[in-house]
């Protein structure tokens, strides 16, 4: 059997004596939207940071993206270029305008000329609803706007998969909606997405599959209704009870 | 003989100022070449100190620490008087430039390192996640942000290099100080030394002022 689009086997990660991931197995299909939920410290951010090797995993673990093993070496930059990532803290480049933030990687990594890159960047900025801010610096934008720029910046590489690491956790509550709206549009357009989130409403509405993690293990996975309405594991029910009833 | 005649003897100053200006030109040449060479070498040292193979990293650290511990005058004398025994004979100009830029590079490397380390980890992660190569990560993302942080301390270092050019006079380099002491001997009057002091101040005061202005501006921009 050919490995799936994202193929993760026995993914283990230790920090000194602390084990963050105890051998995760996960397969994600092309076009699938997977939401990863769980308490803090459950390893969900570590899991997605291993997919583009921002976090180095233990020897013997396997991560394969569309047939290419993710590992140190010459091919790593190529693999990373295929994986878009959106961070909790945006991580926009403060010395570049919004437009230049989105243009940089397509020019440097994909070899686009400035005109092509600008065309693509303006298109994407329009798609995330901030075409009017193209010439401003990130520091002048609200958190919600900055995160939408970060999404456009990742999309500009035309990645095979988009990883979201708690994209709304650093936002003021009134800005969460605008970012989730953009992510909803992406999900509908068929982009493969892995989203670490605390937004249970979003996960229920948008995810094809929800994964609940705790203590560095996948405790339970299933469709949103399987997880949110009929969780089999007590740990899942306790967690959902705690986050949904407050 | 009153004090004005001794230290501000106008006829002596008029007679010797062409010598002093010639010395100033030599000082500027030594200073500028040493500063540029020190900047380039210092940047590579900083990158080696941070990112190279552990062995090279260790060597860079030893270099930086040793060169910051050695008095420039001692290094200059070693280069000019001792290296010829090993078959390497440098002109006074080259000896001065070598001593000044080797030391300046060590200080510059530490300044660049601090600047690079001040850039948030998220900037590195975002660049890597986009697939940028280590070179583009440095050139397009990290260094443009680090430059802002390092300009005030780098300017300070430039001022120090400019002042240390005066040490070149011990290897018979006709820099500003050497010309002033020669003019003093020639005229049996110390006014040329005072003239040289005034020229050093006129050269470096604007730079000192610039450092304060830059520091104030960056401090405001950070708020």
């Amino acid at each position: 059997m050919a490995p799936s689009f994202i193929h993760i086997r026995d993914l283990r990660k230790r920090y000194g004596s602390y084990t963050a991931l105890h051998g995760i197995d996960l397969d994600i299909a092309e076009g699938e939207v997977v939401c990863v939920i769980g308490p803090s410290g459950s390893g969900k951010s570590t899991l997605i940071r291993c997919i583009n090797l921002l976090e180095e995993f233990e020897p013997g673990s396997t991560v394969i993206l569309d047939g290419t093993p993710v590992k140190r070496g010459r091919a790593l930059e190529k693999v990373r270029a295929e994986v878009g990532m959106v961070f909790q803290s945006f991580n926009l480049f403060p010395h570049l305008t919004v437009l230049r933030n989105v243009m940089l990687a397509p020019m440097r990594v994909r070899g686009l000329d400035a005109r092509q890159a600008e065309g693509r960047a303006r298109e994407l900025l329009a798609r995330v609803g901030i075409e009017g801010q193209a010439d401003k610096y990130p520091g002048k934008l609200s958190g919600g706007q900055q995160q939408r720029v970060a999404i456009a910046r990742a999309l500009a590489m035309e990645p095979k998969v988009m990883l979201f690491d708690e994209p709304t956790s650093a936002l003021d509550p009134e800005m969460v909606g605008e970012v989730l709206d953009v992510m909803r549009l992406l999900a509908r357009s068929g982009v493969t997405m892995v989203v670490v989130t605390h937004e249970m409403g979003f996960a229920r509405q948008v995810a094809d599959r929800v994964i609940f993690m705790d203590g560095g293990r996948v405790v339970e996975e299933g469709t949103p209704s399987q997880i949110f309405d009929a969780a089999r594991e007590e740990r899942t029910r306790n967690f959902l009870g705690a986050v949904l009833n407050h | 003989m009153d004090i004005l005649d001794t230290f501000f003897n106008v006829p002596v100053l008029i007679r010797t100022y062409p010598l002093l200006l010639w010395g100033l030109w030599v000082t500027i040449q030594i200073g500028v070449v040493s500063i540029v060479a020190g900047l380039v070498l210092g940047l590579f040292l900083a990158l080696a100190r941070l990112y190279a193979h552990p062995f090279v990293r260790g060597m860079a650290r030893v270099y930086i620490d040793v060169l910051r511990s050695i008095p420039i005058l001692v290094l200059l004398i070693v280069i000019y008087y001792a290296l010829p025994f090993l078959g390497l004979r440098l002109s006074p100009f080259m000896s001065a430039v070598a001593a000044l830029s080797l030391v300046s590079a060590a200080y510059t490397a530490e300044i660049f390192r601090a600047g690079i380390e001040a850039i948030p980890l998220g900037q590195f992660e975002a660049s890597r996640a986009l697939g940028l190569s280590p070179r583009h990560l440095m050139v397009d993302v990290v260094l443009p942000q680090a430059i802002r942080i390092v300009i005030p301390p780098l300017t300070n270092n430039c001022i120090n290099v400019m002042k240390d050019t005066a040490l070149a006079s011990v290897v018979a380099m006709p820099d500003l100080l050497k010309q002033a002491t020669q003019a003093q001997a020639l005229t049996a009057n110390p006014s040329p030394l005072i003239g040289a002091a005034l020229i050093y101040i006129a050269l470096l005061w604007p730079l000192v002022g610039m450092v304060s202005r830059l520091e104030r501006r960056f401090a405001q921009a950070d708020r």
Side-chain angles (χ1 to χ4, degrees):
Chain A
M1 193 188 95
S4 50
F5 191 61
I6 299 175
H7 176 86
I8 297 171
R9 278 297 169 278
D10 194 26
L11 178 61
R12 283 171 293 112
K13 170 71 186 174
R14 277 199 306 269
Y15 298 100
S17 62
Y18 174 74
T19 304
L21 296 176
H22 293 269
I24 306 277
D25 296 329
L26 185 62
D27 289 280
I28 296 171
E30 191 165 7
E32 197 177 9
V33 177
V34 174
C35 284
V36 186
I37 61 171
S40 10
S42 59
K44 49 195 195 306
S45 284
T46 308
L47 167 65
I48 70 163
R49 289 165 57 84
C50 284
I51 296 178
N52 60 357
L53 211 64
L54 281 186
E55 216 68 69
E56 197 122 15
F57 42 76
E58 305 302 320
S61 306
T62 307
V63 177
I64 296 175
L65 174 72
D66 196 17
T68 312
V70 177
K71 57 172 199 244
R72 283 258 156 244
R74 301 192 138 269
L76 180 58
E77 281 156 28
K78 277 213 180 76
V79 173
R80 281 175 169 163
E82 303 299 335
V83 181
M85 185 146 198
V86 176
F87 299 86
Q88 181 177 346
S89 49
F90 328 137
N91 297 345
L92 293 176
F93 305 133
H95 62 298
L96 299 176
T97 62
V98 163
L99 187 66
R100 290 269 158 197
N101 262 277
V102 183
M103 288 168 64
L104 179 66
M107 289 175 71
R108 295 293 187 264
V109 182
R110 296 273 192 249
L112 265 60
D113 65 36
R115 208 173 41 84
Q116 294 169 312
E118 182 175 341
R120 186 188 285 186
R122 289 199 185 276
E123 211 172 284
L124 285 166
L125 288 173
R127 199 160 142 203
V128 300
I130 33 181
E131 62 272 42
Q133 321 282 342
D135 297 317
K136 291 190 183 161
Y137 285 87
K140 302 283 176 211
L141 271 55
S142 73
Q145 291 172 324
Q146 289 192 48
Q147 194 60 301
R148 285 185 282 155
V149 174
I151 293 173
R153 179 176 69 175
L155 287 174
M157 293 297 286
E158 302 182 327
K160 290 177 174 165
V161 53
M162 286 283 286
L163 308 176
F164 293 84
D165 189 2
E166 303 199 21
T168 57
S169 297
L171 294 176
D172 291 335
E174 73 268 25
M175 315 224 164
V176 170
E178 62 192 61
V179 172
L180 292 181
D181 284 342
V182 169
M183 291 169 62
R184 219 169 265 134
L185 279 178
L186 280 183
R188 279 198 209 113
S189 69
V191 177
T192 311
M193 291 166 60
V194 185
V195 186
V196 170
T197 186
H198 292 293
E199 297 293 331
M200 297 304 152
F202 175 83
R204 178 192 275 271
Q205 191 194 348
V206 178
D208 296 313
R209 183 155 46 124
V210 175
I211 291 175
F212 172 71
M213 286 184 70
D214 193 13
R217 291 188 171 84
V218 173
V219 174
E220 187 167 2
E221 59 179 303
T223 63
S225 60
Q226 279 170 343
I227 297 293
F228 289 111
D229 303 328
R232 282 160 297 152
E233 299 287 333
E234 193 184 344
R235 268 193 288 175
T236 316
R237 287 196 297 271
N238 286 343
F239 172 75
L240 290 173
V243 292
L244 294 178
N245 297 332
H246 291 283
Chain B
M1 205 194 271
D2 72 0
I3 195 159
L4 274 182
D5 265 357
T6 311
F7 291 105
F8 296 98
N9 193 312
V10 175
V12 168
L13 281 173
I14 288 173
R15 195 139 52 89
T16 55
Y17 91 85
L19 262 181
L20 295 187
L21 284 186
W22 178 244
L24 171 65
W25 171 233
V26 173
T27 285
I28 288 175
Q29 282 177 306
I30 298 173
V32 168
V33 174
S34 304
I35 285 168
V36 172
L39 278 176
V40 174
L41 184 59
L43 178 57
F44 281 106
L45 267 176
L47 294 175
R49 167 94 167 74
L50 283 170
Y51 303 115
H53 181 274
F55 177 75
V56 180
R57 213 184 299 167
M59 299 290 288
R61 221 184 73 204
V62 169
Y63 175 93
I64 290 167
D65 290 354
V66 168
L67 271 284
R68 287 195 303 164
S69 319
I70 195 168
I72 297 182
L73 185 54
V74 174
L75 182 64
L76 178 60
I77 288 171
V78 168
I79 288 175
Y80 187 69
Y81 292 104
L83 282 188
F85 289 102
L86 299 175
L88 185 61
R89 190 176 300 275
L90 295 178
S91 67
F93 181 81
M94 282 310 294
S95 301
V97 165
L100 288 170
S101 48
L102 289 176
V103 170
S104 170
Y107 284 98
T108 306
E110 283 300 274
I111 293 169
F112 274 122
R113 182 173 69 93
I116 291 169
E117 283 180 339
I119 304 302
L121 183 63
Q123 296 289 308
F124 291 82
E125 290 194 336
S127 309
R128 291 193 186 113
L130 285 165
L132 291 179
S133 64
R135 189 170 64 91
H136 282 129
L137 169 118
M138 271 299 140
V139 172
D140 290 315
V141 177
V142 174
L143 290 181
Q145 297 183 61
I147 287 292
R148 232 183 61 117
I149 302 171
V150 300
I151 280 181
L154 277 185
T155 312
N156 260 329
N157 186 57
C158 292
I159 293 167
N160 286 333
V161 174
M162 273 296 176
K163 287 195 286 194
D164 289 338
T165 54
L167 296 170
S169 54
V170 303
V171 293
M173 194 64 206
D175 75 315
L176 179 52
L177 177 62
K178 183 76 177 173
Q179 296 289 26
T181 50
Q182 265 172 358
Q184 177 197 11
L186 228 58
T187 57
N189 181 295
S191 295
L193 274 178
I194 302 299
L198 293 176
I199 291 175
Y200 278 118
I201 291 169
L203 180 66
L204 296 177
W205 197 342
L207 280 177
V208 174
M210 198 174 85
V211 175
S212 320
R213 274 201 307 281
L214 286 172
E215 276 171 347
R216 225 174 309 135
R217 205 170 81 213
F218 291 151
Q220 277 168 355
D222 282 341
R223 244 178 278 140

